[in-house]
Amino acid sequence: MTRRELREGVFLLLFQNEISSVDIPETAESCVEAFEMEINDEMKALAENISAKYEELDQIIGKYSETREVSRISKINKTILRLAIYEINYCPNVPDVVAANEAVELSKKYDLYRQDYCGCVFSKREAEKRRKEKPQDQCGSK
């Protein structure tokens, strides 16, 4: 299984969990039964780790979301953003740009309203990150 397939499986599991409001193991069982999804232990573990950090991830999303509150973001986009931000913060083997690009790709595939919301959030995050990394002496200040 590729990292992309794993990521998409985790996204689908998390999204189903978001709309069903049951725990991840129960969500996984229902996904296997209803959708014939192939879910492995790595998917379940990653989904459980992400769901345990929803509050922290939502705070980060809220920091970069200037147009809406986290509670007003579509469940699809919120799930995509949670997954990507988790990968950026907790998966050192996944480059930030890969996590952000994969989030945009998931958004293109699953976001029914075709909003470019995920891309906007990551653009703001990257701009802030670059400003923090830029040395003072290159900014014209002495």
Side-chain angles (χ1 to χ4, degrees):
M1 175 177 291
T2 67
R3 182 71 191 184
R4 178 174 274 182
E5 292 167 337
L6 173 72
R7 185 180 290 111
E8 187 169 2
V10 170
F11 160 72
L12 293 170
L13 187 55
L14 288 170
F15 180 70
Q16 185 66 26
N17 178 256
E18 179 79 12
I19 60 175
S20 68
S21 300
V22 295
D23 64 6
I24 295 293
E26 193 173 332
T27 301
E29 281 181 36
S30 68
C31 285
V32 169
E33 291 171 10
F35 308 116
E36 298 179 2
M37 280 180 63
E38 291 183 31
I39 297 175
N40 62 29
D41 290 338
E42 187 178 8
M43 275 184 199
K44 284 191 270 189
L46 186 54
E48 286 179 335
N49 291 342
I50 293 168
S51 68
K53 297 206 177 282
Y54 276 175
E55 189 174 316
E56 175 190 333
L57 299 171
D58 288 351
Q59 287 176 353
I60 295 168
I61 293 167
K63 179 180 177 182
Y64 296 104
S65 174
E66 295 176 357
T67 58
R68 15 187 128 125
E69 295 177 24
V70 174
S71 63
R72 304 271 302 140
I73 297 171
S74 73
K75 290 180 190 278
I76 290 174
N77 281 333
K78 189 169 17 178
T79 302
I80 292 168
L81 288 166
R82 285 171 173 166
L83 171 58
I85 291 169
Y86 181 89
E87 285 188 310
I88 288 168
N89 289 348
Y90 296 102
C91 300
N93 60 329
V94 178
D96 293 2
V97 69
V98 171
N101 286 340
E102 290 294 321
V104 170
E105 291 304 313
L106 281 171
S107 183
K108 287 177 185 176
K109 184 172 181 177
Y110 290 101
D111 185 11
L112 303 176
Y113 297 105
R114 298 291 180 222
Q115 301 164 344
D116 192 23
Y117 195 74
C118 291
C120 292
V121 169
F122 285 112
S123 294
K124 290 174 187 167
R125 183 185 179 283
E126 277 302 305
E128 180 181 80
K129 185 177 170 185
R130 283 191 207 114
R131 281 193 301 273
K132 287 180 180 178
E133 292 173 353
K134 192 181 292 186
Q136 285 296 98
D137 63 331
Q138 293 182 5
C139 295
S141 59
K142 293 185 179 189

